[in-house]
Amino acid sequence: MSSSGEDSLVAAGFDALAARVAILDTSGTIVYTNEPWESFGDEQGLARSAGGVGSNYLAVCEASDDPDAVETARGIRAIAAGDSESFRLEYPCHTPGEDGWYLLDARPYDHGGERFVLVMHVDITERKLLERRTQEQADRMESFATLLSHDLRNPLSVALAHTEMLELDDGVDLGDDSDENPLRASLERMESIINEALLLATVDTVEETELLALSRAVETAWTTVRTDGASVDVVDDIAIRADPSLLTHLFENLFRNAVEHGSTSPDSRTRQDAVEHGGDGPRIEVGALESAPSGESNGPAESVEAEREAADWPVEATDYDGFYVEDDGPGIPPDERERVFESGYSSAGGSGFGLAIVSDVVDAHGWSIRVTPGRNGGARFEVRGVTVVER
């Protein structure tokens, strides 16, 4: 291909870019612009002397009262002088019709014994608008968390305290002959929903983890769950790296899910009768998951040398990369196995927050979770991508 043909090919390629591109010599004079650069100048009503070939880009920037333009000129001059290898600046460029943002990227190159500076303006408006929406959502979530933790939980605590006083007063009829006070039950249910919603609103990326015995983590969570005759068994003696508090919440909600569905599902009416008469409730098993086949592992390959020094038991690298929680209840239909992690979704009259919290805790750790059928027809939750060591 001839030199003129190559030049034409390169020019056509620059014109096809969405970015506005100009090439400057070391004095700041524009020696080349692509079509988007020229079109933008025409749309903004700029004279060729303010941004076309032959004009001095740096002089125009330095004459501006915009601090970003002055900083741009300073950055490009440093590149032209060989004092810097690049300059980047994000800046707003709003019009009466819409808001816009751009990324200016300048870098040097040599050609024919001369130095030039390639300047690009890339439209980043879509990213900036997404960042703005994300920040607005974060602000709303912070306000929501404040509402839950103070404006709602405080008066609810007062209501619970008054309920306790009423329960001690024989002259007050609370309207139910059962052992459970419906007023207290309703208030405690509200408290549970607030706590769950608050946790959903505040779960964030886990920065620090601890080495935790799986059996101890399960035991801690189990003491906070109303088990209704259910039982739990940890079948593997392993330890995992996790945030202790979030791991407790994960197990609490998986256990509650198993108990609630195992005791109240129409498919387990026999079990419900057994629970009411002191029989066995749902049986839950927690154990380790073997690593996925080569190339499919979701977990980090970490050395356990540091664990040997920190733990009070000998640890060894294992072929595990996660854990499972499995019950022998009615299970979860295939068409619901993805939806169960959606906030607000419930098939047993619950808040619908429980498995959403599980999903958020998994995401915060960088793990993954899926639902499969259990070996006895129940639900099996598999969490992978976990750092596992053997005790």
Side-chain angles (χ1 to χ4, degrees), residues 286-302:
V286 182
L289 285 173
E290 292 186 358
S291 298
S294 178
E296 298 180 16
S297 175
N298 296 311
E302 294 190 16

Side-chain angles (χ1 to χ4, degrees), residues 154-216:
N154 288 348
L156 182 59
S157 298
V158 173
L160 280 168
H162 280 282
T163 300
E164 292 178 2
M165 295 175 62
L166 290 174
E167 289 175 333
L168 298 174
D169 190 339
D170 294 335
V172 176
D173 182 8
L174 294 176
D176 197 318
D177 295 331
S178 66
D179 293 335
E180 184 177 53
N181 176 356
L183 176 59
R184 169 187 282 278
S186 297
L187 291 174
E188 288 179 343
R189 179 61 176 154
M190 291 171 61
E191 184 178 46
S192 175
I193 291 174
I194 288 174
N195 290 337
E196 289 175 346
L198 184 59
L199 181 60
L200 272 176
T202 54
V203 171
D204 203 352
T205 302
V206 172
E207 299 293 342
E208 297 183 3
T209 60
E210 298 179 17
L211 189 65
L212 307 169
L214 186 65
S215 57
R216 180 62 61 84

Side-chain angles (χ1 to χ4, degrees), residues 47-106:
R48 291 288 176 174
S49 59
V53 173
S55 63
N56 191 292
Y57 185 71
L58 299 183
V60 172
C61 289
E62 290 169 338
S64 172
D65 58 1
D66 185 345
D68 288 339
V70 176
E71 184 179 353
T72 295
R74 186 181 302 115
I76 293 177
R77 285 198 183 280
I79 292 175
D83 297 330
S84 177
E85 288 300 316
S86 66
F87 175 77
R88 292 167 63 90
L89 175 70
E90 294 184 4
Y91 65 94
C93 185
H94 306 321
T95 65
E98 61 182 0
D99 290 345
W101 287 265
Y102 289 85
L103 166 65
L104 183 147
D105 190 325

Side-chain angles (χ1 to χ4, degrees), residues 205-245:
T205 302
V206 172
E207 299 293 342
E208 297 183 3
T209 60
E210 298 179 17
L211 189 65
L212 307 169
L214 186 65
S215 57
R216 180 62 61 84
V218 167
E219 179 183 353
T220 300
W222 190 250
T223 60
T224 67
V225 177
R226 181 175 176 176
T227 58
D228 289 339
S231 62
V232 66
D233 183 27
V234 181
V235 297
D236 292 304
D237 194 18
I238 62 171
I240 64 176
R241 291 207 62 89
D243 176 282
S245 176

